[in-house]
Amino acid sequence: MSDTDEKRRYDRVLLKISGEALMGDQGYGLHPPTVDRIAREVQEVHSLGVEICMVIGGGNIFRGLQGSAQGMERTTADYMGMLATVMNALAMQGALETLGVHTRVISAIPMDQICEPYIRRRAVRHLEKKRVCIFAAGTGNPYFTTDTAATLRASEMSCQAIFKGTKVDGVYDKDPVVHPDAVRYDKVSYDEVLNKHLNVMDASAIALARTNNLPIVVFSLEEPGGFRGILAGEGTFTEVSDFG
């Protein structure tokens, strides 16, 4: 057994990434080398025996709020955003299975010809068989973000934590890209995130995580090996939880 196995903090986790994380340096769409790189990060953690769920946003293809802001009816725009998440999930599935990782795309909106419908007990069984479950189409309802969908699925799957991969290495008191003096938190409570309007997840997702005592680990997806390292409690990250 390796040192990482011995220090592994979690046995079942959910990885939440944005759709924008898949587009690399492009301004739109999917960047296959970036998708492959993230798939390898997932494969490394999966090889440790960790059961992994994933939720991927759709902002690299279509974002419901932006469509609504441009005059499109909100419900229609949100459904279009959900379909974008299915496209991203299929791309990630293809990359993972190329690496030999058995994967299931599970959609909240039934589309039987390309993926499975969401059935909780079946999804749990997939995890027990060490298949990566990629949950697509959000919650299946408009007006809910993929952040909320991630927290909901993590709760239903009895995950021990949500790992949110971002472009920065944790939660800061202000945008570190704009403000060089921004301060990173090592730990922050759910209430602080809500009260200080810290950019972690939307309020519904944070409230649901708090209700279910589900930690959120925010880390940089840009750091090679970061996902595996953070799982062992190494590297730089912020943990959102009730602590102290």
Side-chain angles (χ1 to χ4, degrees):
M1 181 177 291
S2 71
D3 291 342
T4 307
D5 286 323
E6 291 173 2
K7 294 188 291 184
R8 192 175 72 205
R9 299 172 66 198
Y10 305 107
D11 295 312
R12 180 180 294 177
V13 300
L14 185 142
L15 174 63
K16 166 64 171 68
I17 61 177
S18 66
E20 287 87 348
L22 303 184
M23 65 186 187
D25 295 329
Q26 302 175 155
Y28 178 83
L30 289 159
H31 183 237
T34 300
V35 176
D36 291 342
R37 178 180 62 79
I38 294 172
R40 286 193 296 273
E41 296 280 328
V42 174
Q43 180 202 30
E44 284 188 11
V45 172
H46 181 265
S47 69
L48 302 177
V50 178
E51 297 171 359
I52 303 172
C53 311
M54 295 183 71
V55 170
I56 306 171
N60 57 319
I61 299 171
F62 190 87
R63 188 181 295 277
L65 275 173
Q66 291 176 353
S68 178
Q70 294 174 12
M72 185 177 293
E73 196 269 324
R74 173 65 188 273
T75 302
T76 299
D78 277 355
Y79 279 124
M80 291 175 66
M82 291 180 218
L83 294 176
T85 71
V86 177
M87 295 171 68
N88 285 337
L90 291 172
M92 183 57 64
Q93 179 183 45
L96 284 168
E97 297 209 332
T98 296
L99 296 172
V101 179
H102 295 295
T103 309
R104 294 292 184 273
V105 173
I106 302 172
S107 173
I109 300 173
M111 45 187 81
D112 296 345
Q113 289 179 305
I114 59 174
C115 54
E116 293 186 8
Y118 176 69
I119 300 172
R120 188 187 68 83
R121 291 175 66 90
R122 181 186 292 175
V124 169
R125 185 63 179 144
H126 286 320
L127 290 174
E128 292 171 348
K129 290 183 176 181
K130 306 304 179 184
R131 297 165 181 158
V132 172
C133 290
I134 308 176
F135 296 110
T139 66
N141 301 289
Y143 297 96
F144 290 93
T145 67
T146 51
D147 280 345
T148 300
T151 311
L152 176 63
R153 295 295 182 240
S155 301
E156 291 176 307
M157 294 297 106
S158 300
C159 291
Q160 295 163 311
I162 297 173
F163 280 67
K164 181 166 184 183
T166 69
K167 292 185 176 181
V168 294
D169 58 358
V171 180
Y172 286 77
D173 61 348
K174 47 193 171 185
D175 188 346
V177 176
V178 178
H179 303 280
D181 61 338
V183 177
R184 186 183 59 81
Y185 297 93
D186 288 325
K187 286 193 172 184
V188 62
S189 70
Y190 304 112
D191 288 340
E192 283 182 278
V193 169
L194 293 172
N195 294 336
K196 295 180 179 179
H197 303 286
L198 301 177
N199 188 23
V200 179
M201 289 180 162
D202 63 72
S204 297
I206 296 295
L208 183 58
R210 179 180 59 188
T211 298
N212 291 290
N213 196 27
L214 186 62
I216 303 167
V217 179
V218 182
F219 71 104
S220 173
L221 205 59
E222 307 292 320
E223 184 70 27
F227 186 23
R228 177 173 178 161
I230 305 281
L231 195 77
E234 302 168 351
T236 304
F237 59 93
T238 298
E239 181 177 317
V240 181
S241 62
D242 277 334
F243 58 88

